[in-house]
Amino acid sequence: MNVIHNIMILRKNISEARELGKKIIFIPTMGALHSGHLSMVEAARKRGGDNEKNCIVLSIFVNPLQFGPNEDYQKYPRNLEQDSSLAAEAGVDILFAPPVMEMYPDGKSLTTVNVAELGDCLCGAKRPGHFRGVTTVVSKLFNIVQPDIAYFGQKDYQQYAIIRKMVEDLNFPVQLILAPTVRENDGLAKSSRNVYLDPQQRRQVAVISSSLREAAALIAKGEKNPAVLRDKVSRRITSESDGKIDYIEVRRADDLSSVETIDCGIVIAVAVNFGSTRLIDNVLVEV
Ligand code: AMP
């Protein structure tokens, strides 16, 4: 595996891979790699069988642009050495880990990319500017890496929906793949931020995924009222944990618009604060 910190060197390595007829598969991350990230490397490796030659590029960049002033940019876990060995073991070909000055030489970006509406609701309403930071850095990374295929995790479903819209609206020539959420044994979605939880919080947080599973089961039994589902999820989380609910929303899966009655594919998305740790999760339900 090549570890690259510089955009020009990365471009050179990627064009060499292309000349060998390889497809460029891209997995952007903020590092502190866990099995959620590594499951996408595994899926990328298994793509296309023996006929397809791939070059798997995984980026690690804690993007200052997507953190609010009171968020955890400074304390976000960083461990490039451990991440490098995990990525190499998993089968990554190129690890791209640029310093902030390589991505933002002026210390900021005067040019930004914003997806209206989809970026203003759910987490976007609570974290102003967050998704603009995400879509700006993902645009930059897409322009730098020029991938044929890029993987995003369902754990951050709103992020995926926004990037999908950006790719459509701005004609990025990339195919997006949504990877299923990888979970701990008790259902907690794997996240680099789970290390912030203290033991008591860690025991309680499983209620998030179990309440979402329960809501999905109610839909399967015929429940069509989003308010009933929101209420169920809310009651369970507040009665079984000290979590403070940030939002519980039932939205159309394709464009995140509100639904009055459940008659299409939906996502139930939640954000819950445990102390200063904000956890998100969601379930997709086909109807
Ligand atoms: P992050 O490093 O948290 O910015 O995540 C990088 C990518 O990994 C994003 O596409 C996430 O949605 C995805 N990801 C994070 N956690 C998980 C998980 N538990 N299961 C699947 N994908 C994940």
Side-chain angles (χ1 to χ4, degrees):
M1 183 181 79
N2 265 340
V3 181
I4 299 177
H5 304 285
N6 171 283
I7 293 171
M8 263 181 25
I9 298 175
L10 179 75
R11 284 192 194 277
K12 188 167 165 287
N13 274 254
I14 286 178
S15 57
E16 282 165 9
R18 276 201 188 290
E19 276 163 25
L20 295 171
K22 294 185 180 175
K23 273 202 169 149
I24 310 300
I25 306 191
F26 182 42
I27 303 165
T29 82
M30 296 204 298
L33 298 181
H34 51 67
S35 51
H37 301 116
L38 300 173
S39 70
M40 295 189 276
V41 179
E42 193 183 340
R45 264 202 3 247
K46 289 185 177 153
R47 264 190 58 87
D50 293 337
N51 297 330
E52 191 176 290
K53 290 191 285 177
N54 293 325
C55 172
I56 301 176
V57 181
L58 182 137
S59 66
I60 294 183
F61 182 60
V62 184
N63 173 33
L65 230 58
Q66 70 192 65
F67 287 79
N70 299 318
E71 293 185 355
D72 56 345
Y73 175 67
Q74 295 299 343
K75 79 163 183 177
Y76 197 83
R78 293 162 170 90
N79 190 342
L80 188 59
E81 211 173 300
Q82 184 178 312
D83 284 350
S84 297
S85 33
L86 288 171
E89 253 170 62
V92 168
D93 297 297
I94 298 177
L95 177 62
F96 178 50
V100 173
M101 283 304 280
E102 184 70 5
M103 293 296 280
Y104 303 115
D106 302 331
K108 60 186 176 192
S109 184
L110 291 182
T111 307
T112 57
V113 177
N114 189 48
V115 178
E117 295 175 26
L118 274 74
D120 300 333
C121 60
L122 307 171
C123 285
K126 307 288 174 172
R127 303 182 68 189
H130 167 66
F131 286 115
R132 188 177 54 234
V134 170
T135 39
T136 300
V137 81
V138 171
S139 303
K140 283 171 72 71
L141 290 166
F142 279 178
N143 283 329
I144 293 165
V145 176
Q146 304 199 349
D148 298 289
I149 294 163
Y151 280 81
F152 290 88
Q154 187 195 320
K155 191 190 119 311
D156 302 275
Y157 184 76
Q158 183 177 16
Q159 169 173 283
Y160 167 75
I162 290 171
I163 291 168
R164 183 174 58 185
K165 191 76 190 109
M166 177 188 89
V167 162
E168 183 189 327
D169 287 352
L170 299 183
N171 306 92
F172 279 102
V174 58
Q175 177 195 344
L176 299 185
I177 297 182
L178 180 65
T181 302
V182 175
R183 297 176 180 282
E184 303 283 359
N185 287 339
D186 65 356
L188 172 66
K190 296 250 186 183
S191 163
S192 309
R193 289 190 166 102
N194 292 349
V195 295
Y196 301 152
L197 298 168
D198 69 30
Q200 189 190 340
Q201 291 168 335
R202 177 61 194 84
R203 281 192 295 278
Q204 292 186 355
V205 293
V207 71
I208 300 175
S209 59
S210 59
S211 65
L212 289 172
R213 277 200 308 278
E214 188 187 345
L218 284 176
I219 298 174
K221 281 193 203 139
E223 182 58 63
K224 295 209 176 307
N225 186 344
V228 170
L229 297 166
R230 282 201 304 272
D231 191 52
K232 264 268 188 262
V233 174
S234 166
R235 275 169 199 271
R236 271 213 55 197
I237 293 175
T238 41
S239 67
E240 292 179 32
S241 78
D242 302 320
K244 302 271 174 294
I245 293 167
D246 194 350
Y247 67 74
I248 301 170
E249 296 272 358
V250 180
R251 298 283 177 131
R252 280 178 71 105
D254 56 359
D255 62 4
L256 302 181
S257 61
S258 302
V259 285
E260 306 270 289
T261 182
I262 295 172
D263 55 5
C264 57
I266 54 118
V267 59
I268 310 175
V270 303
V272 186
N273 288 303
F274 283 82
S276 57
T277 306
R278 187 171 179 277
L279 299 180
I280 57 169
D281 201 351
N282 67 80
V283 63
L284 286 168
V285 187
E286 298 285 340
V287 176

